[in-house]
């Protein structure tokens, strides 16, 4: 189960001090089970821990107290099998993640009791607990270190072919393994965790194409933040046009509120989303005639415009339909508020007549400031925005024929933009914003909140 949460100005992670401005953005949280499953797959199910334990060789065990109090030695003791490994994850506030691996180690060696030599099998319960901390953040990467690795041995079962085992042999084996196993197992866990770190954190440093428009180079924006409730990853990304330059955006620090029923929280800042929208929404000027086949309200718009044109303009009153050109002005801007996401966009609407001599007569040049309601969803690992017209503010920039009052044009222009331009914008946004496959956790069954 995953949850995506929208708020503020920045898609953010971590907590800010009271003196810092809280920026709004998108946050994505996944359940403890999803994160635990990924770590279990990477460490246990893929055999990584078992592989690195296979070369484990334990020192010889020497002692008194075997059969009939004869001297006892166990040599060539090595790992045969790792049984029933299980992994659990707990968050440590301000430190990181506590990883616990519970397993049974099957060991085998040669046992000499007095003059009797035979094979010995030892099954020992092991519980390894390691505190994992991220440090040394630089250029989107972090170093993972293990602090306070603790290895506790539980029940031990010893099997000899002869079946002749004294209680003192059990005590001797337990004592020797307790003294030696932690020093052997913790370094192996350290190696495995660092390999998994390279594998999983590599998912946060990825270059992903955005259709044919450009690429996003995702990376960590800061050190991961850990509370007792969640692990927060603050994501940022360089947005680059194909064959062009990087689209700049504010990469200031950001913050994430606690989500009580989740474990992993991801964040993307609003300024980053604005850069991606600028990459996606690149629609060339659209020119068409004010004819019914273009949009349903064409004749009503033409009639409304002609009522504004002075009677003395003979050129304006020909039989040919008016021409309209729609041009995006400036870059789109996404605004994230509580329970609301909107995209602000400006469009220039030029209404003109092309004379017989090829010259242009501008009846109207309008500026429409649109507030578009944004519906946000996750599909196929992509953040998808669907826009609908919320409100429109219309202003007159110029008129070659002296039009000054455009108050009755607003509903017609709204209809024009909703029918002609908005489908083009939604088409451009339809490919979605590709998200990194963070820690290998799939974004399925996503619950989105604003």
């Amino acid at each position: 189960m995953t949850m995506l949460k929208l708020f503020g100005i920045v898609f953010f992670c971590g907590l800010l001090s009271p003196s810092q401005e809280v920026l709004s953005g998108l946050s994505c949280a996944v359940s403890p089970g999803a994160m635990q499953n990924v770590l279990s797959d990477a460490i246990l199910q893929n055999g990584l821990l078992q592989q690195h334990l296979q070369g484990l060789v334990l020192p010889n065990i020497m002692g008194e107290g075997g059969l009939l109090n004869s001297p006892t030695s166990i040599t060539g003791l090595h790992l045969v099998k790792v049984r029933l490994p299980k992994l659990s994850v707990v968050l440590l506030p301000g430190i990181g993640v506590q990883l616990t691996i519970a397993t049974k180690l099957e060991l085998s060696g040669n046992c000499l009791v007095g003059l009797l030599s035979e094979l010995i099998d030892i099954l020992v319960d092991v519980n390894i607990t390691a505190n994992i901390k991220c440090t040394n953040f630089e250029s989107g990467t972090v170093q993972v270190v293990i602090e306070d690795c603790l290895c506790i041995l539980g029940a031990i079962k010893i099997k000899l072919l002869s079946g002749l085992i004294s209680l003192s042999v059990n005590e001797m084996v337990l004592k020797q393994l307790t003294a030696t196993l932690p020093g052997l197992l913790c370094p192996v866990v350290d190696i495995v965790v660092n390999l998994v770190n390279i594998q999983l954190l590599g998912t946060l440093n990825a270059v992903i194409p955005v259709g044919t428009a450009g690429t996003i180079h995702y990376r960590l924006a800061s050190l991961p933040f850990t509370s007792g409730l969640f692990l927060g990853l603050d994501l940022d990304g360089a947005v680059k046009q194909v064959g062009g330059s990087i689209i700049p955006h504010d990469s200031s620090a950001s913050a994430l509120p606690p989500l009580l029923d989740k474990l992993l929280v991801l964040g993307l800042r609003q300024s980053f989303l604005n850069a991606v929208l600028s990459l996606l929404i690149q629609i060339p000027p659209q020119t068409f005639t004010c004819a019914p086949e273009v949009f349903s309200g064409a004749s009503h718009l033409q009639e409304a415009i002609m009522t504004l044109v002075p009677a003395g303009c003979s050129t304006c009153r020909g039989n040919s339909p008016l021409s309209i050109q729609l041009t995006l002005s400036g870059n789109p801007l996404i605004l994230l508020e509580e329970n609301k996401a909107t995209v602000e966009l400006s469009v220039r609407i030029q209404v003109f007549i092309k004379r017989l001599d090829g010259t242009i007569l501008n009846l109207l040049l309008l500026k429409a400031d649109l507030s578009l309601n944004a519906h946000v969803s996750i599909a196929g690992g992509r953040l998808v925005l669907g826009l609908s017209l919320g409100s429109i503010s219309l202003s007159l920039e110029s008129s070659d024929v002296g039009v000054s009052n455009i108050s009755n044009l607003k509903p017609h222009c709204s209809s024009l933009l909703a029918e002609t331009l908005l489908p083009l914008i939604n088409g451009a946004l339809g490919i979605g914003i590709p998200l990194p496959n963070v820690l290998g956790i799939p974004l399925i069954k996503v619950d989105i909140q604003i």
Side-chain angles (χ1 to χ4, degrees):
M1 175 66 69
T2 59
M3 184 181 74
L4 192 76
K5 190 175 177 105
L6 275 165
F7 53 94
I9 304 176
V10 179
F11 200 98
F12 48 91
C13 161
L15 295 179
L16 298 178
S17 66
S19 63
Q20 291 178 287
E21 179 185 2
V22 175
L23 302 177
S24 52
L26 293 169
S27 66
C28 173
V30 298
S31 67
M35 183 176 175
Q36 188 162 299
N37 289 341
V38 165
L39 290 174
S40 182
D41 286 344
I43 295 175
L44 303 180
Q45 303 307 319
N46 294 338
L48 187 62
L49 179 65
Q50 294 90 322
Q51 173 189 340
H52 282 79
L53 285 175
Q54 283 306 314
L56 196 66
V57 176
L58 285 85
N60 296 335
I61 298 176
M62 313 295 292
E64 300 290 337
L67 182 63
L68 301 177
N69 291 321
S70 301
T72 303
S73 66
I74 301 174
T75 60
L77 199 59
H78 61 280
L79 179 70
V80 175
K81 188 177 181 180
V82 180
R83 294 188 182 183
L84 305 174
K86 293 182 179 180
L87 179 146
S88 60
V89 174
V90 176
L91 295 177
L92 303 176
I95 298 176
V97 174
Q98 185 177 81
L99 187 69
T100 299
I101 299 173
T103 185
K104 296 178 182 290
L105 300 183
E106 183 180 334
L107 308 172
S108 184
N110 301 309
C111 181
L112 180 63
V113 181
L115 299 177
L116 180 64
S117 177
E118 57 183 315
L119 294 177
I120 184 172
D121 293 321
I122 302 172
L123 188 63
V124 54
D125 290 345
V126 176
N127 195 285
I128 307 169
T129 300
N131 296 341
I132 302 174
K133 182 178 181 180
C134 292
T135 185
N136 297 335
F137 173 80
E138 183 178 357
S139 302
T141 62
V142 297
Q143 180 183 356
V144 171
V145 296
I146 286 185
E147 298 182 340
D148 303 324
C149 180
L150 180 64
C151 180
I152 300 177
L153 273 57
I156 288 184
K157 295 181 180 179
I158 300 177
K159 180 180 178 182
L160 285 172
L161 290 178
S162 65
L164 300 174
I165 306 172
S166 68
L167 182 60
S168 58
V169 172
N170 276 284
E171 294 174 348
M172 178 186 70
V173 171
L174 177 59
K175 180 179 179 180
Q176 293 293 327
L177 292 183
T178 301
T180 57
L181 266 182
L184 297 173
L185 295 179
C186 282
V188 172
V189 173
D190 184 61
I191 293 172
V192 168
V193 166
N194 276 280
L195 289 174
V196 170
N197 166 56
I198 295 172
Q199 171 191 339
L200 295 183
L201 288 187
T203 63
L204 303 176
N205 189 7
V207 178
I208 306 177
V210 186
T212 59
T215 59
I216 298 175
H217 182 184
Y218 281 103
R219 60 180 179 271
L220 278 175
S222 61
L223 269 174
F225 173 86
T226 308
S227 74
L229 302 175
F230 67 92
L231 168 65
L233 300 177
D234 188 6
L235 299 182
D236 197 10
V239 183
K240 185 177 182 180
Q241 296 175 321
V242 168
S245 58
I246 292 176
I247 300 175
H249 69 274
D250 180 17
S251 294
S252 301
S254 53
L256 215 72
L259 300 171
L260 300 180
D261 58 343
K262 305 296 174 180
L263 184 65
L264 175 65
V265 182
L266 310 176
L268 286 173
R269 36 181 64 85
Q270 175 183 288
S271 55
F272 164 79
L273 296 175
N274 282 328
V276 181
L277 288 185
S278 297
L279 179 68
L280 289 175
I281 304 178
Q282 298 188 29
I283 299 174
Q286 303 292 308
T287 304
F288 47 83
T289 58
C290 192
E293 59 268 20
V294 177
F295 72 101
S296 59
S299 57
H300 296 295
L301 175 61
Q302 180 160 319
E303 290 174 3
I305 292 175
M306 295 311 298
T307 62
L308 305 177
V309 174
C313 181
S314 57
T315 308
C316 306
R317 304 184 182 280
N319 294 324
S320 300
L322 305 180
S323 295
I324 298 176
Q325 184 176 81
L326 303 179
T327 307
L328 297 185
S329 177
N331 294 320
L333 177 67
I334 188 169
L335 297 177
L336 304 177
E337 306 169 74
E338 186 176 359
N339 299 321
K340 186 179 182 182
T342 57
V343 173
E344 294 187 349
L345 190 66
S346 293
V347 183
R348 279 192 165 82
I349 305 174
Q350 181 185 11
V351 183
F352 63 93
I353 295 175
K354 190 172 183 180
R355 297 188 179 100
L356 294 177
D357 60 2
T359 59
I360 298 297
L361 177 65
N362 283 318
L363 301 185
L364 294 170
L365 181 60
L366 307 172
K367 181 184 178 186
D369 293 319
L370 309 180
S371 178
L372 306 172
N373 299 322
H375 172 73
V376 186
S377 60
I378 294 288
R382 294 171 178 265
L383 182 69
V384 181
L385 275 70
L387 305 182
S388 60
L389 186 59
S391 63
I392 177 174
S393 174
L394 200 63
S395 60
L396 175 65
E397 292 202 339
S398 65
S399 171
D400 290 348
V401 295
V403 174
S404 58
N405 184 3
I406 59 168
S407 57
N408 66 332
L409 295 183
K410 185 174 179 179
H412 304 297
C413 288
S414 295
S415 176
L416 166 68
L417 295 171
E419 292 187 36
T420 60
L421 185 63
L422 205 52
L424 295 176
I425 295 175
N426 279 323
L429 294 175
I431 65 170
I433 302 172
L435 300 174
N437 187 24
V438 175
L439 306 184
I441 298 175
L443 292 174
I444 57 175
K445 297 182 180 179
V446 178
D447 178 25
I448 299 177
Q449 297 181 8
I450 300 178

